[in-house]
């Protein structure tokens, strides 16, 4: 068998892998990108971020049509054509996938479709449709991503029990849907199905949804969840699932109380697991932690100095933009430069529910836990002209800043289009701006972005549209 020799091989073509391959090519390296999927883009493009946002947009249109009556516009009851919705979603994925392939071709990044397996620390065996290929490499970046976690107790081999992948295929609209897990994936997809008129119930083992987010920002979302969903169970676990006729029976436990209920479908959304098995990492000498994530240093190096790892396989927050940032860090390190470690970067988090939540930097809870002397500026969107014009006053902008230096430590939004607002906040925290800097920056009126300026002004006691406390 012939063995090819390459400078850099990137294993996995998701938003981390293809970002690494493209950046390395732009910096003059010859790159070979290996991925087992039929289309580049990884889970994010094909089974996660992009299809979910397409469906979220589609179902927002249903909700907006219903809300239009408040502005004197009435629509007939919408007729849902799942086939058309699915075709549109798939067309978006196809277009983006083709775009990534064209970008690879334009950069002369060779793409090899197949499953990679490390024979040793310098050799990758790739199983392709035309047979095996052996690659000898000088440097490697592992970016194979993660997969939805399916506890053994829930894995009945029944198509009515779904992960996010099957839920995004949206083959039908179940009359009743149980979502196990109150994280961002479960809530986003739960809202999609609720807008399509499924009766949705959510069960969460913790005492709140979206653990880790600022509780003040969660309140408007919790109010929306209670309106959209039939039931929301906190401090509750599912003991087991069982097939019962054409439904799935779930056994609940909450403290001393136990009960059973049946649903047409169940979405299991309890986290994601790294795809580190069956890669031959032990042959390469790459160390894993006790949760099967790859151990890396601040420059994304594994226990084997010329092998790097990025994205979901290294743990931490599992976000596409975090993986893309790690791609830059890894390639800069390969080039002999000293990149800025991820720990020194500000990573925004967004939940695409309705209302959306977006945050960057420290939360108030984290500030308290770290014994930081901080202050808070808030602006309620009920005082925003733009929010009122949109009929979306269910929002809040919140700024955390250092009491002495007045440097901005964290910023959060809850409300319509929060995902579009957070980038300015990231720049403010990343650049070490002060609360004065935000307050003195002229924002266009009327916009939702000016709620950030007014939150800063409120902290200083002179916000135009709210009364200062006396």
């Amino acid at each position: 068998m012939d063995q090819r020799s390459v400078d850099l091989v990137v294993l996995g073509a998701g938003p981390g892998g293809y970002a690494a391959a493209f950046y390395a090519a732009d910096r003059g390296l010859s790159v070979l990108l290996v991925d087992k999927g039929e289309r580049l883009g990884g889970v994010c493009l094909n089974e996660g971020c992009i299809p979910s946002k397409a469906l979220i947009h589609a179902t927002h249109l249903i909700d907006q049509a219903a809300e239009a009556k408040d502005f004197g516009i009435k629509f007939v009851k919408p007729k849902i054509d799942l086939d058309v919705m699915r075709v549109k979603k798939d067309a978006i994925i196809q277009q983006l996938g083709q775009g990534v392939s064209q970008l690879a071709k334009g950069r002369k990044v060779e793409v090899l479709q197949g499953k990679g397996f490390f024979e040793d620390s310098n050799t990758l065996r790739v199983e392709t449709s035309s047979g095996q290929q052996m690659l000898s490499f000088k440097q490697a970046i592992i970016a194979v991503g993660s997969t939805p976690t399916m506890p053994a107790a829930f894995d009945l081999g029944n198509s009515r029990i779904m992960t996010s992948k099957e839920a995004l295929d949206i083959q039908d609209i179940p009359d009743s849907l149980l979502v196990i897990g109150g994280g961002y994936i479960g809530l986003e997809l739960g809202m999609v199905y609720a807008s399509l008129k499924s009766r949705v119930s959510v069960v969460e083992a913790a005492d709140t949804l979206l653990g880790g987010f600022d509780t003040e920002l969660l309140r408007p979302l919790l109010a929306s969840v209670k309106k959209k969903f039939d039931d929301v169970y906190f401090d509750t676990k599912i003991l087991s699932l069982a097939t019962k006729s054409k439904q799935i029976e779930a056994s609940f436990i909450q403290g001393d109380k136990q009960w059973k209920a049946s649903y047409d479908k169940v979405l299991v959304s309890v986290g994601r697991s790294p795809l580190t098995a069956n890669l031959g990492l032990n042959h390469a000498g790459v160390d894993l932690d006790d949760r099967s994530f790859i151990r890396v240093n601040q420059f994304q190096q594994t226990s084997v100095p010329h092998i790097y790892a990025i994205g979901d396989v290294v743990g931490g927050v599992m976000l596409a933009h975090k993986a893309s940032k790690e791609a830059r860090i890894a390639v800069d390190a390969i080039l002999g430069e000293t990149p800025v470690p991820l720990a020194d970067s500000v990573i925004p988090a967004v939940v695409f529910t309705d209302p959306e939540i977006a945050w960057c930097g420290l939360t108030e809870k984290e500030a308290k836990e770290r014994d930081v002397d901080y202050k808070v500026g808030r602006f309620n969107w009920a005082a925003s002209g733009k929010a009122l014009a949109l009929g979306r006053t269910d929002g809040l902008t919140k700024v955390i800043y250092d009491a002495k230096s007045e440097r901005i430590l964290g910023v959060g939004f809850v409300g319509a289009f929060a995902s579009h607002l957070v980038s300015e906040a990231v720049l403010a925290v990343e650049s070490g701006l002060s609360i004065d800097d935000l307050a003195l920056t002229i924002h266009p009126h009327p916009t939702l972005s000016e709620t950030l300026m007014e939150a800063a002004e409120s902290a200083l006691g002179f916000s135009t549209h709210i009364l200062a406390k006396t």
Side-chain angles (χ1 to χ4, degrees), residues 164-281:
S164 57
K165 181 181 184 300
E166 292 79 32
L168 288 168
D169 288 338
I170 203 154
Q171 294 299 318
D172 57 21
I173 304 172
D175 288 335
S176 58
L177 172 69
L178 175 65
V179 178
I180 302 177
Y184 70 96
I185 295 175
L187 292 182
E188 287 178 4
L189 291 178
M191 284 194 166
V192 164
Y193 278 87
S195 294
L196 293 172
K197 304 310 177 187
S198 290
R199 291 178 288 108
V200 178
S201 299
V202 176
V203 57
E204 169 56 45
D207 60 359
T208 186
L209 303 177
L210 296 173
F213 269 84
D214 187 284
T215 54
E216 194 171 6
L217 296 180
L218 278 176
R219 287 175 194 149
L221 175 59
L222 290 173
S224 175
V225 163
K226 289 177 181 178
K227 289 179 182 179
K228 282 182 171 288
F229 297 164
D230 273 31
D231 295 294
V232 181
Y233 302 105
F234 296 110
D235 295 312
T236 306
K237 295 181 180 180
I238 300 297
L239 294 176
S240 64
L241 298 176
T243 300
K244 186 176 182 180
S245 185
K246 293 183 179 181
Q247 289 188 311
I248 299 298
E249 184 180 71
S251 297
F252 296 76
I253 182 168
Q254 184 186 61
D256 296 330
K257 181 181 178 183
Q258 293 190 35
W259 71 97
K260 294 180 179 181
S262 295
Y263 302 86
D264 293 314
K265 286 197 171 182
V266 175
L267 168 60
V268 179
S269 181
V270 293
R272 298 185 65 85
S273 303
L275 286 168
T276 48
N278 303 316
L279 290 181
L281 296 178

Side-chain angles (χ1 to χ4, degrees), residues 18 22 98-109:
Y18 75 71
F22 294 174
Q98 290 174 347
V100 176
S101 294
Q102 288 300 315
L103 289 170
K105 185 177 180 180
R107 286 180 164 92
K108 294 182 172 56
V109 172

Side-chain angles (χ1 to χ4, degrees), residues 148-468:
T149 300
M150 177 61 77
F154 301 161
D155 192 4
L156 306 182
N158 189 320
S159 61
R160 293 183 179 276
I161 300 175
M162 307 181 292
T163 67
S164 57
K165 181 181 184 300
E166 292 79 32
L168 288 168
D169 288 338
I170 203 154
Q171 294 299 318
D172 57 21
I173 304 172
D175 288 335
S176 58
L177 172 69
L178 175 65
V179 178
I180 302 177
Y184 70 96
I185 295 175
L187 292 182
E188 287 178 4
L189 291 178
M191 284 194 166
V192 164
Y193 278 87
S195 294
L196 293 172
K197 304 310 177 187
S198 290
R199 291 178 288 108
V200 178
S201 299
V202 176
V203 57
E204 169 56 45
D207 60 359
T208 186
L209 303 177
L210 296 173
F213 269 84
D214 187 284
T215 54
E216 194 171 6
L217 296 180
L218 278 176
R219 287 175 194 149
L221 175 59
L222 290 173
S224 175
V225 163
K226 289 177 181 178
K227 289 179 182 179
K228 282 182 171 288
F229 297 164
D230 273 31
D231 295 294
V232 181
Y233 302 105
F234 296 110
D235 295 312
T236 306
K237 295 181 180 180
I238 300 297
L239 294 176
S240 64
L241 298 176
T243 300
K244 186 176 182 180
S245 185
K246 293 183 179 181
Q247 289 188 311
I248 299 298
E249 184 180 71
S251 297
F252 296 76
I253 182 168
Q254 184 186 61
D256 296 330
K257 181 181 178 183
Q258 293 190 35
W259 71 97
K260 294 180 179 181
S262 295
Y263 302 86
D264 293 314
K265 286 197 171 182
V266 175
L267 168 60
V268 179
S269 181
V270 293
R272 298 185 65 85
S273 303
L275 286 168
T276 48
N278 303 316
L279 290 181
L281 296 178
N282 56 325
H283 296 170
V286 174
D287 290 341
L288 304 179
D289 67 14
D290 56 2
R291 297 173 58 205
S292 297
F293 290 101
I294 298 176
R295 298 182 190 274
V296 293
N297 64 13
Q298 62 180 338
F299 301 127
Q300 306 305 132
Q301 280 180 304
T302 70
S303 52
V304 182
H306 63 276
I307 299 179
Y308 296 72
I310 62 175
D312 290 2
V313 290
V314 303
V317 290
M318 292 186 175
L319 300 170
H321 45 279
K322 176 251 196 186
S324 298
K325 177 64 176 179
E326 290 173 334
R328 294 288 183 108
I329 294 171
V331 172
D332 282 342
I334 287 171
L335 292 169
E337 300 175 1
T338 305
V340 176
L342 187 72
D344 296 332
S345 299
V346 178
I347 305 173
V350 178
V351 184
F352 293 89
T353 46
D354 185 18
E356 294 180 346
I357 296 182
W359 186 273
C360 69
L362 284 183
T363 65
E364 188 169 6
K365 179 182 178 182
E366 289 171 336
K368 289 178 180 177
E369 290 173 347
R370 300 181 189 184
D371 200 25
V372 174
D373 186 10
Y374 71 93
K375 292 184 178 180
V376 179
R378 298 176 179 84
F379 186 79
N380 192 305
W381 288 16
S384 164
K386 180 66 172 181
L388 193 60
L390 293 172
R392 294 305 306 264
T393 56
D394 56 338
L396 174 71
T397 299
K398 183 174 181 178
V399 181
I400 308 291
Y401 65 102
D402 188 274
K404 294 179 181 178
S405 69
E406 296 194 339
R407 177 174 175 169
I408 300 163
L409 303 175
V411 182
F413 305 88
V414 59
F417 308 109
S419 57
H420 296 276
L421 304 178
V422 74
S423 294
E424 180 187 0
V426 174
L427 182 62
V429 178
E430 187 86 62
S431 301
L433 300 186
S434 70
I435 197 73
D436 274 327
D437 291 324
L438 275 187
L440 294 174
T441 299
I442 299 173
H443 287 66
H445 176 78
T447 62
L448 296 176
S449 68
E450 65 186 331
T451 65
L452 182 56
M453 174 188 72
E454 298 230 41
E457 288 179 344
S458 73
L460 299 172
F462 55 81
S463 175
T464 302
H465 294 102
I466 59 175
L467 291 173

